[in-house]
Amino acid sequence: MPRRYSSCVLLCLAFATLLLLSACGRPHVPLSPFSKKKTAVSSRASKGTQRPYTVRGVRYYPLRSAAGFSQKGRASWYGRRFHGRRTACGERFNMYAMTCAHKRLPMNSRVRVTNLRNGKSVVVRVNDRGPFARGRVIDLSYAAAKKLGFVRAGTARVRITGLR
């Protein structure tokens, strides 16, 4: 084998190794359809989350306001697996904060979520998109689910009422 050919192979191997190592920097697990690199939460980030988006072939149109919004359905919660990852509005998800993910409610709006089984309710801020699991209307943070009393069960029937 000529020396020139072997150095070319070595160069290609070095490049491939460098490429692999750079890909190992952080896992790419999209949290939501709006998961993009954002350094800070700004009003511009909020405007971007008002655009229609598509997930698994379904088109979603975010509402302009949460005022007057009401919905009943099944809630779930998310926690440790997503803790520290970016949300749709660009901030880092904190499983101990009173936040939620909804498909259509505007970012940073506040909603009251009431557990229909035990009557407990909490006020949470929308900071993410989801849930995209069939039959779910809202994903709550671990802290909100704990206050509503359904962490062990995993899901609960709830009523969502928009506050602002």
Side-chain angles (χ1 to χ4, degrees):
M1 179 185 312
R3 182 178 172 98
R4 187 178 54 157
Y5 181 72
S6 63
S7 64
C8 183
V9 169
L10 286 175
L11 185 64
C12 287
L13 281 174
F15 181 71
T17 303
L18 184 64
L19 206 67
L20 276 171
L21 288 175
S22 68
C24 294
R26 70 179 179 105
H28 176 70
V29 180
L31 184 60
S32 72
F34 293 105
S35 291
K36 293 180 182 169
K37 282 188 177 180
K38 295 176 187 170
T39 54
V41 178
S42 67
S43 60
R44 214 165 68 198
S46 294
K47 287 178 186 174
T49 61
Q50 285 300 105
R51 288 185 299 234
Y53 63 97
T54 304
V55 175
R56 297 185 194 129
V58 179
R59 190 92 169 142
Y60 297 96
Y61 298 89
L63 300 170
R64 289 184 172 268
S65 169
F69 180 84
S70 182
Q71 182 180 25
K72 284 184 183 179
R74 186 147 303 276
S76 54
W77 65 273
Y78 61 134
R80 202 168 282 129
R81 185 171 150 208
F82 295 100
H83 188 69
R85 296 198 180 164
R86 295 276 181 197
T87 63
C89 70
E91 68 189 41
R92 296 218 179 257
F93 173 66
N94 179 354
M95 64 188 266
Y96 302 107
M98 298 297 285
T99 59
C100 70
H102 195 276
K103 295 175 199 115
R104 297 187 57 223
L105 287 169
M107 291 296 141
N108 295 313
S109 60
R110 301 209 185 273
V111 295
R112 178 174 304 282
V113 181
T114 305
N115 185 332
L116 296 175
R117 179 173 231 171
N118 62 20
K120 293 180 181 181
S121 74
V122 295
V123 174
V124 292
R125 181 176 58 87
V126 178
N127 72 339
D128 205 1
R129 291 288 177 223
F132 299 106
R134 198 161 98 196
R136 310 277 171 83
V137 295
I138 194 167
D139 256 345
L140 299 166
S141 65
Y142 168 81
K146 188 168 175 74
K147 286 192 177 190
L148 288 174
F150 73 90
V151 168
R152 282 188 73 135
T155 65
R157 291 265 310 144
V158 296
R159 178 179 46 252
I160 305 166
T161 308
L163 300 177
R164 63 175 176 104

